[in-house]
Amino acid sequence: GSGSSSGPYCIEVQDNGGCVAPSDITYDNVSYDSADISWISNGGETEWEIVYGEEDFNPESEGTTVTDEDGEVGTTLSNLDPDTEYDIYIRAVCGDEDSSELTGPISFTTEVAPPSNDDLCNATVLEIDEACTGAIYSNLSASTQANEPIPDCWIIGATIPQTVWFSFEAPASGNVTVIPTEGSLSSKPHIAIYAAPSDCEDLTTLEEPMYCAEDAGSNNSSIISVVGLTAGETYYIQADSYGFDAGTFCMEVQDDGV
């Protein structure tokens, strides 16, 4: 080299082993209970260990280890907890006694789980005249089902409906008032009332809504008065919040009498 410095020196060559660690871990398609994980393989290995756990876990002594031995880079983590931050580490496995150092972590947070009444078949049963307090229901992370109708009276715009379902048995009077209250459905909610379908798993069997409301009633509350129902028959309520205002709320069905 250039310059006038001279003298003895040492050069070391260190053996880092034959198993090179993966790099560039990425994640995609994160849901409330799963996530797709990928990485770059920097050697000829066909097996990897994915170690994951909640934020700040110790990957050497804690967490869950999944082995990917199909020879293809990438795997899907399943049975994750909703609304939880996870750290992910990966190591290459090059032989029985030959593994790389761990690479990572990368972190992601799973989505909030959809409500139990996201699907028509799992509609929450409402008892007539039973008061609802404390915003006990939610449409956070709710979605629409295949062939789920969106009533014409709802103004959806660019939003994606986050519908949930309720059911009730018509009282002897056949007359009820459906009242969304509190929280995300207290102003301008989307509400529709349907007769029971012949198959709750096939939403094409739903008839047109009997009643539909948006921005109706005092203070845009979408309170619906329903008359002429058949006593003892089951009816369904489809509910969605206005715009992007998903959240928690209450829903009541009151008997209006004869």
Side-chain angles (χ1 to χ4, degrees):
S2 62
S4 59
S5 298
S6 62
Y9 59 91
C10 289
I11 296 177
E12 293 183 359
V13 178
Q14 297 181 345
D15 182 5
N16 289 329
C19 200
V20 182
S23 60
D24 298 321
I25 307 171
T26 59
Y27 59 85
D28 197 12
N29 300 321
V30 177
S31 72
Y32 69 93
D33 64 353
S34 66
D36 294 337
I37 307 298
S38 189
W39 57 90
I40 292 178
S41 170
N42 295 310
E45 78 278 5
T46 58
E47 183 177 333
W48 301 268
E49 288 182 346
I50 300 90
V51 186
Y52 66 94
E54 294 188 19
E55 180 184 14
D56 296 330
F57 84 106
N58 183 345
E60 299 293 348
S61 59
E62 300 173 329
T64 300
T65 299
V66 174
T67 300
D68 179 3
E69 52 187 359
D70 62 4
E72 299 290 334
V73 168
T75 193
T76 298
L77 302 180
S78 57
N79 298 317
L80 303 178
D81 292 329
D83 195 21
T84 301
E85 183 171 352
Y86 284 94
D87 290 343
I88 311 295
Y89 297 82
I90 299 177
R91 64 161 57 95
V93 178
C94 302
D96 291 341
E97 302 295 331
D98 190 10
S99 298
S100 74
E101 296 296 318
L102 285 168
T103 295
I106 62 160
S107 301
F108 63 82
T109 300
T110 50
E111 296 181 351
V112 175
S116 59
N117 60 338
D118 193 21
D119 294 343
L120 177 62
C121 288
N122 296 323
T124 297
V125 177
L126 299 177
E127 299 296 334
I128 300 295
D129 290 335
E130 185 174 286
C132 177
T133 58
I136 59 175
Y137 305 121
S138 172
N139 69 327
L140 288 168
S141 294
S143 60
T144 54
Q145 295 176 254
N147 300 312
E148 181 170 343
I150 302 300
D152 291 338
C153 84
W154 293 4
I155 301 174
I156 300 299
T159 63
I160 299 175
Q162 294 178 269
T163 57
V164 289
W165 293 89
F166 299 87
S167 68
F168 65 93
E169 184 177 301
S173 69
N175 306 319
V176 300
T177 297
V178 176
I179 307 174
T181 65
E182 300 188 31
S184 62
L185 265 69
S186 61
S187 178
K188 301 181 180 180
H190 301 142
I191 303 294
I193 313 296
Y194 297 84
S198 58
D199 181 356
C200 68
E201 294 183 350
D202 180 4
L203 273 68
T204 64
T205 65
L206 276 171
E207 298 180 357
E208 290 292 315
M210 305 170 62
Y211 293 85
C212 177
E214 178 186 282
D215 297 358
S218 61
N219 299 319
N220 298 321
S221 60
S222 294
I223 293 174
I224 298 180
S225 292
V226 183
V227 298
L229 300 179
T230 301
E233 290 292 316
T234 298
Y235 295 87
Y236 287 83
I237 304 168
Q238 182 188 31
D240 178 35
S241 51
Y242 181 80
F244 295 97
D245 296 333
T248 56
F249 60 92
C250 266
M251 184 74 70
E252 298 178 6
V253 179
Q254 297 180 356
D255 185 355
D256 289 343
V258 178

